[in-house]
Amino acid sequence: MKNIDLSLYLVTNNSENEEKFLKTIEEAILGGVSIVQIREKTAETLDFYNLAVKVKEITAKYDVPLIVNDRVDVALNR
């Protein structure tokens, strides 16, 4: 297991504009974010899962860990 760098931890907020949301995450990683936590308290399961998959693609590209908050079902179905 690799050491996880918690020096700059991004916790996402619900966004109505998915494209801007994903771009912001990528820009944050390029700016030095070392871990991303996705939180979507009001999203339907399928919507949240689809968003999590897209966020995971970005975080994986930069080898940044992703935490899926409050939704074990979404985190396990990758």
Side-chain angles (χ1 to χ4, degrees), residues 53-69:
V53 167
K54 292 173 185 175
V55 173
K56 179 60 179 169
E57 289 172 1
I58 295 168
T59 59
K61 178 178 172 181
Y62 298 101
D63 198 29
V64 170
L66 172 64
I67 296 171
V68 176
N69 196 71

Side-chain angles (χ1 to χ4, degrees), residues 11 21 25-27 34 36 42 50 54 67 69 73 75 77:
V11 178
F21 177 76
I25 290 172
E26 187 160 18
E27 289 174 349
S34 57
V36 175
T42 60
N50 290 332
K54 292 173 185 175
I67 296 171
N69 196 71
D73 59 332
N77 289 303

Side-chain angles (χ1 to χ4, degrees), residues 9-14 21 35-45 48-49 51-53 55 65-76:
Y9 192 115
L10 173 66
V11 178
T12 66
N13 191 11
N14 191 354
F21 177 76
I35 191 165
V36 175
Q37 178 178 336
I38 184 172
R39 296 185 72 194
E40 295 295 329
K41 299 281 187 185
T42 60
E44 297 293 326
T45 299
F48 184 42
Y49 172 78
L51 183 63
V53 167
V55 173
L66 172 64
I67 296 171
V68 176
N69 196 71
D70 297 327
R71 294 298 304 267
V72 173
D73 59 332
V74 171
L76 292 176

